[in-house]
């Protein structure tokens, strides 16, 4: 999907605390998930990340999910 196609996916706004793991970095970091869709999520908090970084996030009642940072602000 292109960036514009991702913008068309329905997102649910929420506020959820989650744990974040970063490839090559020890430990877990707390982040706040702000919205969630089938194509990804937006979270804030934790360390500054680079676009393309591989991460895992643990969502309550779902478990660990692997992803790649698409953008940072």
């Amino acid at each position: 999907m292109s960036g514009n196609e991702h913008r068309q996916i329905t997102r649910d706004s929420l506020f959820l605390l989650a744990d974040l793991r970063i490839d090559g970095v020890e430990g877990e970091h707390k982040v706040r998930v702000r919205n969630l869709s089938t194509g990804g999520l937006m979270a804030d908090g934790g360390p500054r990340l680079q676009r393309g970084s591989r991460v895992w996030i643990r969502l309550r009642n779902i478990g660990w999910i692997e992803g790649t940072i698409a953008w940072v602000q």
Side-chain angles (χ1 to χ4, degrees):
M1 279 188 189
S2 72
N4 289 337
E5 289 170 328
H6 277 293
R7 301 306 306 163
Q8 303 304 316
I9 297 172
T10 302
R11 288 172 173 69
D12 291 324
S13 293
L14 48 89
F15 181 86
L16 175 68
L17 291 176
D19 296 314
L20 175 76
R21 291 182 183 161
I22 305 160
D23 192 30
V25 177
E26 285 196 35
E28 296 176 1
H29 307 273
K30 292 290 185 194
V31 295
R32 294 174 297 273
V33 176
R34 300 297 186 164
N35 68 47
L36 185 63
S37 73
T38 57
L41 61 81
M42 180 177 71
D44 62 21
R48 185 97 172 132
L49 297 173
Q50 298 288 325
R51 184 173 185 226
S53 297
R54 194 165 82 176
V55 295
W56 293 263
I57 192 161
R58 181 171 46 197
L59 299 174
R60 186 178 61 231
N61 297 324
I62 294 175
W64 288 102
I65 300 171
E66 183 177 354
T68 303
I69 302 299
W71 59 272
V72 295
Q73 182 177 357

